[in-house]
Amino acid sequence: MQNQPILVVDDEAQGRTALSRVLNQSGYNVDSATGGVEALNKFKENDYGLVIADVGMPEMSGIELLDKVKKLSQDVPVIMVTGHGTVNNAVEAMQKGALDYILKPFSSKTIETAVKRAGLSSNGGAKPKPGINQLFVGKKDKEIITRDEKLINILKLAKNIASSNATVLIQGESGTGKEMLASFIHQHGRGNKAPYVAVNCAALPDSLAESELFGHEKGSFTGAVVRRMGKFEMASEGTIVLDEISEMTLPLQAKILRVLQEREIDRVGGNKTVPINARVIAISNIDLKSAVKKGKFREDLFYRVNVVALTIPPLRRRRDDIPLLAEYFLDKHSRNNKKNKQRLSDKAMSILIKHDWRGNIRELENTIERAVLLIEGEVIIPENLYLEEPDFDEISDETKINIPLKAGTTVRDMEKNLIVKTLEDVNDNRTHAAELLGISIRTLRNKLREYRQEV
């Protein structure tokens, strides 16, 4: 796999030369072709680590070249570039296996980032990788699939801290894959041989919660006929995941705080402490900081679990991931149900990309699985998805902010009220507020500074 060059394909000499120059300056070995036919012949005769092809070429388009390259080798990544991009073209390219779809004009940094995502080192050699656009987490059914830069950075951070014993807090909306991220941390830190114990805190009965978590001694209560090991002991040198930790009662939160502080537990009915060395990962689908303000979560426990905080963005803010995930679930559920793999029509894919996905990845998977089970033909059309197209003339609930309008109110006062109300709605999260308002975080800071000076 070493020293495999990148094949650049473009019928325009200027584009071909510019792209080759950028790659050469970054230390990559480059070969080029003036069109799809020449590129395909070269590909059959040589070993390439990556193909970068223009979409709009005569004789053989970039999409046709992509299709033929993938039939010859599924393992070689292909990046498409175009000066006339459309959603349909992008979707078609991703469906046929393209790693990336880049619009002209592009910066050298954009190309370098895309090439690195393909797994190429700067000497032109390909690094071993489990799969294009996929970060694998242990078993095949626990793949995290993304091309979203924010989520990729979160995964990098998670991998970096995985070998430590630091407590991790994972937050995000329901269905975003928080437990999979916890598993990712475990696999990269403790490995397959160490125990991985997940506890759904919302499902713990109040009367048995302590026994489930910390274990009990024989005879400690009615029905305790034998000594029983709790979840913390079962996790041993591995990982214990406290899912929906916000649902714990306040008294139980106090006991969890002590476990995290002292790294030891007391079995119910026991008279000696038991040391604990498991990595603790807490998961919440609500903002724990907000829960603290409402008195529903202990502040001292929040700071104890909030050593390393990771927040998974919702799917509606990762729309580039939707085609990848849709294709993945289409393949998965076609295999599971022993059906020939269908394909999504352009219109159906467009609806998937535009949909709000309040249930996030879980909702998307359910939608694809339902379509696979119910349709008889080979093409999934919008009617098979049972989804309503969003009305973009209406403001989404997430950005809908009700501010009373009174006669005589100045535009500046309205601006100030809008910013203050938005900050209240997002619990003073300035990054989130700036995103909702459509301004930069710096502009938001400057505005707040102006308002303080006016007081």
Side-chain angles (χ1 to χ4, degrees), residues 284-331:
S284 176
N285 58 11
I286 68 169
D287 180 15
L288 285 188
K289 201 170 185 179
S290 176
V292 169
K293 290 180 180 179
K294 295 176 182 176
K296 296 181 179 180
F297 197 79
R298 291 180 62 107
E299 186 173 21
D300 46 7
L301 179 56
F302 169 71
Y303 288 117
R304 181 61 65 174
V305 299
N306 194 39
V307 178
V308 178
L310 304 172
T311 301
I312 302 180
L315 188 57
R316 61 185 172 277
R317 294 194 190 139
R318 297 162 42 198
R319 296 195 186 273
D320 283 352
D321 283 349
I322 293 173
L324 297 175
L325 290 163
E327 285 297 319
Y328 173 80
F329 292 135
L330 195 57
D331 183 64

Side-chain angles (χ1 to χ4, degrees), residues 244-307:
E244 296 191 66
I245 191 172
S246 61
E247 298 302 312
M248 279 186 176
T249 62
L250 290 173
L252 186 57
Q253 288 178 30
K255 290 181 169 61
I256 293 294
L257 175 64
R258 181 183 177 278
V259 172
L260 296 179
Q261 287 175 332
E262 306 298 332
R263 305 299 298 180
E264 61 185 24
I265 61 164
D266 295 310
R267 295 196 194 101
V268 177
N271 53 19
K272 66 177 183 178
T273 60
V274 180
I276 294 298
N277 196 35
R279 137 74 66 61
V280 178
I281 299 179
I283 294 178
S284 176
N285 58 11
I286 68 169
D287 180 15
L288 285 188
K289 201 170 185 179
S290 176
V292 169
K293 290 180 180 179
K294 295 176 182 176
K296 296 181 179 180
F297 197 79
R298 291 180 62 107
E299 186 173 21
D300 46 7
L301 179 56
F302 169 71
Y303 288 117
R304 181 61 65 174
V305 299
N306 194 39
V307 178

Side-chain angles (χ1 to χ4, degrees), residues 275-408:
I276 294 298
N277 196 35
R279 137 74 66 61
V280 178
I281 299 179
I283 294 178
S284 176
N285 58 11
I286 68 169
D287 180 15
L288 285 188
K289 201 170 185 179
S290 176
V292 169
K293 290 180 180 179
K294 295 176 182 176
K296 296 181 179 180
F297 197 79
R298 291 180 62 107
E299 186 173 21
D300 46 7
L301 179 56
F302 169 71
Y303 288 117
R304 181 61 65 174
V305 299
N306 194 39
V307 178
V308 178
L310 304 172
T311 301
I312 302 180
L315 188 57
R316 61 185 172 277
R317 294 194 190 139
R318 297 162 42 198
R319 296 195 186 273
D320 283 352
D321 283 349
I322 293 173
L324 297 175
L325 290 163
E327 285 297 319
Y328 173 80
F329 292 135
L330 195 57
D331 183 64
K332 172 184 174 181
H333 291 295
S334 295
R335 286 198 321 269
N336 289 349
N337 292 284
K338 296 181 173 56
K339 298 186 73 172
N340 293 329
K341 183 181 176 182
Q342 299 100 342
R343 68 177 181 86
L344 288 153
S345 70
D346 289 351
K347 183 66 173 175
M349 183 64 83
S350 179
I351 289 174
L352 292 179
I353 292 172
K354 291 177 182 177
H355 190 67
D356 243 4
W357 299 116
R358 291 293 163 177
N360 292 291
I361 297 173
R362 188 180 297 124
E363 182 188 358
L364 174 60
E365 179 171 9
N366 290 344
T367 299
I368 297 297
E369 183 178 12
R370 180 173 59 239
V372 168
L373 291 172
L374 296 182
I375 75 164
E376 296 296 333
E378 296 181 356
V379 180
I380 296 174
I381 58 176
E383 289 76 10
N384 304 136
L385 299 174
Y386 297 96
L387 292 174
E388 293 182 6
E389 288 194 69
D391 185 354
F392 286 100
D393 293 330
E394 296 182 4
I395 301 174
S396 68
D397 290 337
E398 183 178 57
T399 57
K400 193 181 291 180
I401 299 172
N402 296 315
I403 298 176
L405 179 62
K406 298 179 181 178

Side-chain angles (χ1 to χ4, degrees), residues 86-331:
T86 66
V87 172
N88 288 344
N89 284 345
V91 168
E92 184 181 7
M94 302 310 287
Q95 285 178 329
K96 290 183 179 295
L99 170 67
D100 218 329
Y101 188 88
I102 300 172
L103 295 178
K104 297 178 182 178
F106 45 76
S107 66
S108 57
K109 185 177 180 181
T110 299
I111 288 296
E112 289 169 4
T113 300
V115 173
K116 286 178 181 177
R117 191 180 294 138
L120 294 192
S121 59
S122 59
N123 66 356
K127 297 176 184 177
K129 57 186 184 300
I132 298 170
N133 283 322
Q134 299 180 11
L135 294 174
F136 283 76
V137 186
K139 298 178 181 178
K140 182 70 174 167
D141 62 348
K142 289 200 173 181
E143 297 170 358
I144 297 178
I145 303 172
T146 186
R147 65 197 299 265
D148 179 76
E149 288 297 330
K150 288 183 179 179
L151 184 51
I152 288 172
N153 288 334
I154 290 170
L155 292 167
K156 287 178 180 176
L157 176 59
K159 192 173 181 180
N160 288 339
I161 58 92
S163 58
S164 72
N165 207 37
T167 303
V168 179
L169 172 62
I170 301 175
Q171 296 187 101
E173 294 179 7
S174 179
T176 50
K178 298 183 294 296
E179 198 275 334
M180 291 180 69
L181 181 56
S183 181
F184 178 91
I185 294 170
H186 172 74
Q187 293 294 334
H188 285 86
R190 299 297 195 266
N192 285 321
K193 294 183 180 179
Y196 177 85
V197 179
V199 183
N200 185 346
C201 300
L204 288 174
D206 291 345
S207 58
L208 296 175
E210 284 187 57
S211 173
E212 284 291 319
L213 292 171
F214 312 131
H216 62 252
E217 296 290 347
K218 179 180 178 180
S220 56
F221 55 86
T222 304
V225 293
V226 293
R227 192 174 95 171
R228 186 173 183 272
M229 186 183 293
K231 301 295 187 182
F232 274 91
E233 279 187 89
M234 289 168 61
S236 183
E237 300 290 322
T239 301
I240 181 167
V241 178
L242 302 176
D243 197 1
E244 296 191 66
I245 191 172
S246 61
E247 298 302 312
M248 279 186 176
T249 62
L250 290 173
L252 186 57
Q253 288 178 30
K255 290 181 169 61
I256 293 294
L257 175 64
R258 181 183 177 278
V259 172
L260 296 179
Q261 287 175 332
E262 306 298 332
R263 305 299 298 180
E264 61 185 24
I265 61 164
D266 295 310
R267 295 196 194 101
V268 177
N271 53 19
K272 66 177 183 178
T273 60
V274 180
I276 294 298
N277 196 35
R279 137 74 66 61
V280 178
I281 299 179
I283 294 178
S284 176
N285 58 11
I286 68 169
D287 180 15
L288 285 188
K289 201 170 185 179
S290 176
V292 169
K293 290 180 180 179
K294 295 176 182 176
K296 296 181 179 180
F297 197 79
R298 291 180 62 107
E299 186 173 21
D300 46 7
L301 179 56
F302 169 71
Y303 288 117
R304 181 61 65 174
V305 299
N306 194 39
V307 178
V308 178
L310 304 172
T311 301
I312 302 180
L315 188 57
R316 61 185 172 277
R317 294 194 190 139
R318 297 162 42 198
R319 296 195 186 273
D320 283 352
D321 283 349
I322 293 173
L324 297 175
L325 290 163
E327 285 297 319
Y328 173 80
F329 292 135
L330 195 57
D331 183 64

